[in-house]
Amino acid sequence: MSDQERDCQASASRDCPAAPGCPALERIPARAWVIGADFSIRRALPSRQRRMVGAWCFLDQAGPVSYGAGQGLHVGPHPHIGLQTFTWMIEGEILHRDSLGFEQIVRPGQVNLMTAGRGIVHAEDAATDAPGRLHAAQLWIALPDAERHREPAFAHYPTLPVLESGNFTVTVLAGTGFGQTAPVQTFSPLVGMDLACAGPARTRVALNPAFEHAVLVLSGALDVAGETLEPGTLLYLGQARSEIALRSQAAARLLLVGGEPFGEEILLWWNFVARSQEEMIGATADWNSGRRFGTVSGSPSPRLVAPELAGLNLGRRAR
Ligand code: MN
């Protein structure tokens, strides 16, 4: 997906120094808005309070929503640099097309992972004009400096480790959880898990205490580490936790992300992760003038234009 906020704001990871080595319980409201007909989007990362959790630097929840004929998601061709896009489908289907020539539908229980590296373009469209449902999470993973100029790549993961624990169905999305390791290729130590239950459930999730973690409830309500949590709030857990307790009295779903605190300061603006304002200006100019990034064929959606660089005012931010 693409950052389509009207006022596209730059954010620097140094805005939110981590509290290393400490557990935390910080409730962070996700920003919500509507795109297209009636797609509700909730953005949990980045926010003023928190830019990253490990290398995870962007977290959008799309839906859950029912849409009519011809009203499905359409995000036209747009570029990325310096990150991986990680699309986790819960309901519905999205057709990914990219400038490497990949064309791949992602379905519930599956992940599409696009490694932008030095630059790629993709489009994400509803696979058909039929009415349908959509519920998905899209996350971005910042690439460390040593990997961020790598060749772009795309991978589809049709199956991921799934296990049961205390009436939760757990899918290991990235890294290792409950002793099982996802095949998803990442470039920083991190973890992602989806935990869903159809009724009352409780479990304890073992965590790597060297990681920082956060959870986002995607549907229903859960008790997380003693906090009651509903959709629309990211609960940042900090570091130094070896487990968290989860409890639900009814159907619910939760996304857990974590990782080693990212040791590099990044800049995030529009669909780019970089290290300097000059890189952002260069990438924006190259995209808007049709250089560098290549083209996507087949998408019915119009190519997106990078917003005005007025929002890119990183130089005056105090350390
Ligand atoms: Mn995108």
Side-chain angles (χ1 to χ4, degrees):
M1 287 170 212
S2 169
D3 184 345
Q4 294 183 96
E5 283 187 285
R6 279 190 70 81
D7 296 315
C8 187
Q9 302 221 333
S11 70
S13 59
R14 64 174 183 263
D15 287 355
C16 71
C22 298
L25 269 181
E26 187 184 357
R27 300 176 76 99
I28 300 173
R31 283 170 295 145
W33 70 95
V34 173
I35 60 169
D38 56 357
F39 281 96
S40 80
I41 304 282
R42 289 195 181 99
R43 180 158 303 160
L45 289 175
S47 67
R48 177 56 63 186
Q49 297 95 324
R50 176 122 317 260
R51 302 302 192 198
M52 304 180 78
V53 177
W56 301 102
C57 62
F58 181 97
L59 169 48
D60 265 5
Q61 178 184 6
V65 65
S66 296
Y67 56 85
Q71 300 295 308
L73 183 81
H74 287 287
V75 181
H78 61 278
H80 289 285
I81 61 169
L83 56 86
Q84 295 177 290
T85 64
F86 180 103
T87 305
W88 164 236
M89 287 305 294
I90 298 161
E91 289 184 82
E93 298 180 351
I94 293 176
L95 174 52
H96 160 99
R97 298 179 176 93
D98 66 39
S99 50
L100 301 176
F102 287 96
E103 191 168 320
Q104 178 67 56
I105 292 177
V106 59
R107 297 189 166 89
Q110 303 182 339
V111 163
N112 271 0
L113 180 77
M114 186 179 77
T115 302
R118 61 180 174 74
I120 196 167
V121 186
H122 74 151
E124 293 152 297
D125 292 289
T128 73
D129 283 337
R133 294 270 302 165
L134 179 74
H135 190 193
Q138 188 173 83
L139 300 100
W140 297 352
I141 304 167
L143 289 170
D145 195 48
E147 304 288 352
R148 69 193 185 96
H149 301 293
R150 67 176 21 253
E151 291 295 307
F154 174 81
H156 174 68
Y157 297 97
T159 59
L160 297 158
V162 177
L163 56 105
E164 300 291 324
S165 177
N167 281 340
F168 283 100
T169 298
V170 182
T171 307
V172 183
L173 303 176
T176 299
F178 291 87
Q180 302 214 29
T181 299
V184 172
Q185 187 190 18
T186 60
F187 298 92
S188 303
L190 53 76
V191 67
M193 289 182 236
D194 178 284
L195 296 102
C197 60
R202 67 192 304 165
T203 190
R204 305 182 83 82
V205 184
L207 302 177
N208 180 343
F211 286 6
E212 56 182 344
H213 293 91
V215 295
L216 182 70
V217 172
L218 300 177
S219 62
L222 284 129
D223 194 89
V224 182
E227 292 276 312
T228 300
L229 203 60
E230 294 182 349
T233 302
L234 182 78
L235 183 65
Y236 178 68
L237 298 164
Q239 276 183 278
R241 291 179 183 272
S242 55
E243 63 172 23
I244 49 163
L246 300 182
R247 186 162 55 90
S248 182
Q249 291 169 355
R253 181 181 289 270
L254 170 141
L255 187 65
L256 182 152
V257 293
E260 198 171 90
F262 201 70
E264 302 170 25
E265 291 177 354
I266 67 164
L267 300 179
L268 189 155
W269 183 77
W270 195 44
N271 296 310
F272 303 141
V273 168
R275 298 295 185 276
S276 74
Q277 191 160 335
E278 291 66 35
E279 279 182 78
M280 290 295 189
I281 291 167
T284 300
D286 284 351
W287 170 251
N288 282 347
S289 61
R291 294 189 297 264
R292 189 202 308 200
F293 286 98
T295 56
V296 173
S297 43
S299 171
S301 306
R303 185 182 191 275
L304 304 188
V305 175
E308 287 298 313
L309 281 160
L312 179 59
N313 193 357
L314 300 160
R316 70 194 164 104
R317 206 183 291 277
R319 289 292 307 253

